[in-house]
Amino acid sequence: RWLLPNYLKPDEADYEAARAVLLSLLADRVIDRIVFAPEGEDVADLTERWFALRAADAHSASGAPIASSLTGIEACSGDYILHVDDDLLVARRDRDHDYLAEMVEALQADPKAVCSALNICQAEDQEWSTADGRGPWRVEVRCTLLHGARLRASRPWPNELDDGALRRSWHRALDA
């Protein structure tokens, strides 16, 4: 029941069918709400809150989604916000390994930390760090735990307009 109906093909967008599945998941209490990205003037209001710029486009100049991600972040009320791509796979060699607790601990250990990324699978576990010798780590958009209050306090983030769209994606603006 969690999968899209088999009449939907991956290369065919069917908004009404996707909406029906979401409403079914909502009715079954698998999800607790649906948050839709803004359109029109609401996008400009959103980008003004986060970048102090009014952008008409919901995506960056390079096509990265901005309005949907930031609307989702704004809809969260907890201390921490887990931002994860829907196609991410997490591997654990040890089922007792609590990677989410590690991410929270990393944020708690550094009062300046705004986000902690999921540790990438490697031959040996790595300690949490803020840099790798070449410079500071960048924001990892595929899976990151955000500290809600620090994230909001860090606004507005630097960005520029490029023909009505923001030049940087939200996570690259946070990097800057």
Side-chain angles (χ1 to χ4, degrees):
R1 185 149 188 146
W2 290 36
L3 300 174
L4 287 176
N6 59 9
Y7 58 82
L8 278 182
K9 295 184 175 91
D11 59 345
E12 295 178 8
D14 186 337
Y15 177 78
E16 288 306 317
R19 184 177 182 279
V21 170
L22 287 172
L23 291 174
S24 175
L25 292 171
L26 187 63
D28 291 346
R29 300 176 63 156
V30 173
I31 57 176
D32 63 352
R33 64 184 160 152
I34 302 168
V35 178
F36 292 97
E39 295 178 351
E41 198 62 25
D42 292 335
V43 172
D45 293 343
L46 178 77
T47 62
E48 187 168 32
R49 287 192 298 276
W50 289 86
F51 307 100
L53 293 170
R54 294 188 68 77
D57 200 321
H59 294 78
S60 72
S62 65
I66 293 178
S68 58
S69 296
L70 294 180
T71 299
I73 289 169
E74 283 189 347
C76 297
S77 59
D79 295 337
Y80 302 103
I81 302 161
L82 184 61
H83 181 275
V84 182
D85 277 2
D86 63 353
D87 61 352
L88 183 79
L89 295 175
V90 176
R92 292 188 294 174
R93 288 186 214 110
D94 176 0
R95 294 190 58 74
D96 294 328
H97 178 204
D98 190 346
Y99 59 88
L100 190 55
E102 281 184 351
M103 294 168 81
V104 170
E105 288 169 10
L107 290 174
Q108 291 173 340
D110 184 347
K112 295 189 294 184
V114 175
C115 63
S116 60
L118 183 67
N119 204 346
I120 295 173
C121 188
Q122 300 179 39
E124 299 292 327
D125 286 340
Q126 304 294 311
E127 294 294 319
W128 290 94
S129 65
T130 59
D132 67 355
R134 295 175 293 183
W137 294 113
R138 297 175 79 183
V139 176
E140 174 53 65
V141 73
R142 292 172 293 179
C143 181
T144 191
L145 185 67
L146 303 163
H147 189 287
R150 294 176 194 160
L151 183 77
R152 288 176 181 91
S154 69
R155 300 177 302 179
W157 301 332
N159 218 324
E160 298 87 36
L161 290 176
D162 187 355
D163 199 26
L166 293 168
R167 184 166 294 145
R168 292 185 188 100
S169 62
W170 73 268
H171 60 290
R172 292 300 164 236
L174 178 56
D175 276 343

